[in-house]
Amino acid sequence: MTAAKISVQCCIAGGGPAGMMLGLLLARAGVDVLVLEKHADFLRDFRGDTIHPSTLEVMHELGLLDDLLKLPHQKTRELNGYFGGLALTIADFSHLPVRCPYIAFMPQWDFLNFLDTHASRYPTFRLKMQSEVTELSEENGRVVGIKGTSPEGPLEVRASLVIGADGRHSIVRARAGLPVVEIGAPMDVLWFGLSRCPADPETTTGRFDVGRIFIMLNRGAYWQCGFVIPKGSVENLRAKGLPAFRDSVTQLAPFLADRVGELQEWNAIKLLTVKVDRLTQWYRAGLLCIGDAAHAMSPVGGVGINLAIQDAVAAANLLAEPLRKGQPTTEDLGRVQQRRMLPTRLTQRMQLFIQNRVIRRVLSSTDTLTPPFPVKLLARFPFLRRIPARLIGIGVRPEHVR
Ligand SMILES: Cc1cc2nc3c(=O)[nH]c(=O)nc-3n(C[C@H](O)[C@H](O)[C@H](O)COP(=O)(O)OP(=O)(O)OC[C@H]3O[C@@H](n4cnc5c(N)ncnc54)[C@H](O)[C@@H]3O)c2cc1C
């Protein structure tokens, strides 16, 4: 079968937050852009539903905030934690100097459909679903397009620029041979949903107990629960059986005792194998990686989506003009990395600090749990809650839509 051939200025592999936002921004800037997404829709398992103040600010700058907030969502103005018997507020977003000083929890598919609807208003935007990038096309050491598959058969796209926004298992970055630094993490996370009752607490909470961490995100009708386990220990946990797992959940959040029985099989519990890494070089002639494809983030702080969006804004700001004129140079692409490397490194450093000083300690504790020093500081000096709020909610070097 002969391949369908398409020619565009920019071809984006991956229709996640990074790819869809960049597609929208480039189309808005008059660039001919094609996003290829391998799935048939955006409806997938939980993969992060947090829209942070920095992303809401970007939506405001695009004139889309009011419409976005008409979609069902829950607002969280503070993150609370329990360390054994110690209750404290970990982050207080209410002081942030932004239009929306809160995290909006919204299903990622609603957010991505919203971006698609608005991007599709620009005649230069195209999204092709069920289209998977499998190879890069190269000429004289320069990436000049991609090869892939689509419902109609093989596909070849020729582009002045290929963007790898295909997530933490990026095929684009693998094919491009870009150098990766693996940073690692001491934990994995089991995600599952449990129904929520009107009498339940309102706030999004992290419960830290001897050897265990349990996160509960208020999603209106249900709790999105994250059970943090030592890395690689899922098989041990499964071997102990589902009733033992349900008991562990109930010990951490006794009010869930009446519905923990909703967990009838392990299939209802999804494993997130936590991976933290980053490319030391995000680009090659004709190609740039952004979002998780450039840096897989730890779930600490739930910042992955927002960093991906920030990368997209920076890439659009720096590359729309060179793309309109022709082919971005490697210097143009290097500017995106230069702009976004510092926020990536500092955010990962902050995540590693929490992973090593708090999470590792809690997961390896076998006796009583004494709150780690940073937690004691937060409990003692309430104004310090503004620091995690700023790092999580706005991040380092926030981007603004041009
Ligand atoms: C279980 C889980 C929970 C998470 N929780 C949070 C959270 O609470 N908050 C948060 O901010 N982040 C969270 N994250 C991380 C967050 O989802 C990512 O950081 C974020 O989605 C990165 O966006 P992205 O666009 O770079 O990549 P992705 O969202 O991974 O998007 C990549 C897209 O590319 C597509 N794709 C992959 N390969 C190809 C290919 N070869 N061809 C075409 N398309 C392809 C994929 O289908 C996908 O749609 C979570 C992740 C997981 C897995």
Side-chain angles (χ1 to χ4, degrees):
M1 198 175 190
T2 50
K5 293 197 166 67
I6 302 178
S7 200
V8 283
Q9 285 172 302
C10 182
C11 175
I12 300 175
M20 290 304 292
M21 178 57 86
L22 182 58
L24 186 156
L25 292 169
L26 288 179
R28 175 177 173 268
V31 173
D32 189 20
V33 58
L34 172 66
V35 181
L36 300 174
E37 166 54 50
K38 72 176 177 183
H39 287 98
D41 54 37
F42 297 123
L43 246 179
R44 257 152 288 145
D45 285 327
F46 178 73
R47 54 202 285 238
D49 292 351
T50 53
I51 304 194
H52 288 209
S54 60
T55 299
L56 293 167
E57 204 72 0
V58 165
M59 298 310 282
H60 168 74
E61 288 167 1
L62 285 168
L64 301 176
L65 182 64
D66 292 344
D67 281 349
L68 179 73
L69 293 179
K70 284 181 191 146
L71 297 177
H73 66 278
Q74 291 79 43
K75 296 180 176 65
T76 288
R77 291 176 197 276
E78 54 184 43
L79 302 179
N80 295 319
Y82 292 87
F83 271 83
L86 174 70
L88 79 157
T89 298
I90 297 168
D92 175 2
F93 300 103
S94 60
H95 300 279
L96 292 179
V98 288
R99 258 157 217 93
C100 305
Y102 52 80
I103 292 181
F105 283 94
M106 180 182 290
Q108 203 181 106
W109 54 85
D110 281 351
F111 180 57
L112 295 176
N113 278 323
F114 181 87
L115 293 180
D116 178 27
T117 304
H118 287 276
S120 299
R121 295 191 175 151
Y122 298 103
T124 53
F125 177 83
R126 262 179 297 172
L127 167 65
K128 230 175 136 32
M129 303 300 283
Q130 281 179 283
S131 300
E132 181 166 1
V133 174
T134 53
E135 297 295 335
L136 298 177
S137 307
E138 298 190 31
E139 280 172 15
N140 304 320
R142 182 183 176 92
V143 175
V144 294
I146 63 91
K147 293 193 175 105
T149 56
S150 75
E152 298 82 38
L155 177 69
E156 280 182 31
V157 181
R158 202 173 168 89
S160 307
L161 177 65
V162 170
I163 298 282
D166 49 343
R168 54 208 216 113
H169 304 293
S170 170
I171 194 88
V172 169
R173 90 177 190 186
R175 294 286 185 267
L178 294 172
V180 190
V181 182
E182 299 284 347
I183 298 166
M187 76 287 194
D188 291 326
V189 186
L190 297 172
W191 285 108
F192 52 91
L194 287 176
S195 51
R196 208 176 148 265
C197 299
D200 287 354
E202 281 289 318
T203 53
T204 285
T205 309
R207 291 169 189 267
F208 298 75
D209 213 331
V210 177
R212 288 178 296 202
I213 302 174
F214 188 48
I215 314 292
M216 298 178 66
L217 312 179
N218 175 356
R219 302 308 321 281
Y222 68 99
W223 288 105
Q224 184 70 50
C225 304
F227 196 96
V228 183
I229 56 172
K231 184 144 225 53
S233 67
V234 69
E235 286 314 323
N236 281 349
L237 194 91
R238 284 191 183 131
K240 289 182 189 153
L242 205 47
F245 180 69
R246 288 196 290 254
D247 286 348
S248 303
V249 171
T250 314
Q251 279 160 21
L252 287 159
F255 69 91
L256 294 177
D258 58 351
R259 54 213 112 131
V260 79
E262 291 168 13
L263 298 174
Q264 282 296 321
E265 46 184 330
W266 285 109
N267 271 350
I269 303 166
K270 305 282 177 226
L271 172 70
L272 165 65
T273 306
V274 177
K275 186 173 148 114
V276 186
D277 67 26
R278 68 173 173 261
L279 298 178
T280 52
Q281 182 157 334
W282 298 17
Y283 62 93
R284 271 182 52 189
L287 177 139
L288 171 73
C289 286
I290 60 169
D292 273 18
H295 46 72
M297 306 301 289
S298 160
V300 171
V303 292
I305 296 167
N306 300 282
L307 239 78
I309 299 276
Q310 296 282 306
D311 286 359
V313 175
N317 286 343
L318 291 163
L319 300 178
E321 184 68 19
L323 271 165
R324 273 194 306 258
K325 288 186 180 153
Q327 285 186 334
T329 61
T330 47
E331 287 73 28
D332 293 328
L333 303 178
R335 272 184 212 113
V336 179
Q337 171 175 343
Q338 222 174 354
R339 171 106 198 137
R340 297 302 307 155
M341 188 55 119
L342 180 78
T344 303
R345 290 174 83 114
L346 290 181
T347 309
Q348 286 182 331
R349 200 171 291 172
M350 181 264 299
Q351 294 183 318
L352 288 190
F353 179 82
I354 305 291
Q355 280 184 185
N356 292 329
R357 295 290 184 90
V358 182
I359 296 176
R360 195 185 289 278
R361 254 185 78 173
V362 173
L363 291 180
S364 60
S365 63
T366 50
D367 203 346
T368 50
L369 182 68
T370 44
F373 184 62
V375 173
K376 284 187 190 155
L377 272 181
L378 280 177
R380 178 106 196 260
F381 303 108
F383 67 91
L384 291 179
R385 296 164 192 168
R386 297 182 187 195
I387 299 172
R390 187 157 189 120
L391 288 171
I392 295 170
I394 300 182
V396 178
R397 194 184 267 168
E399 302 292 341
H400 296 281
V401 176
R402 274 190 212 152

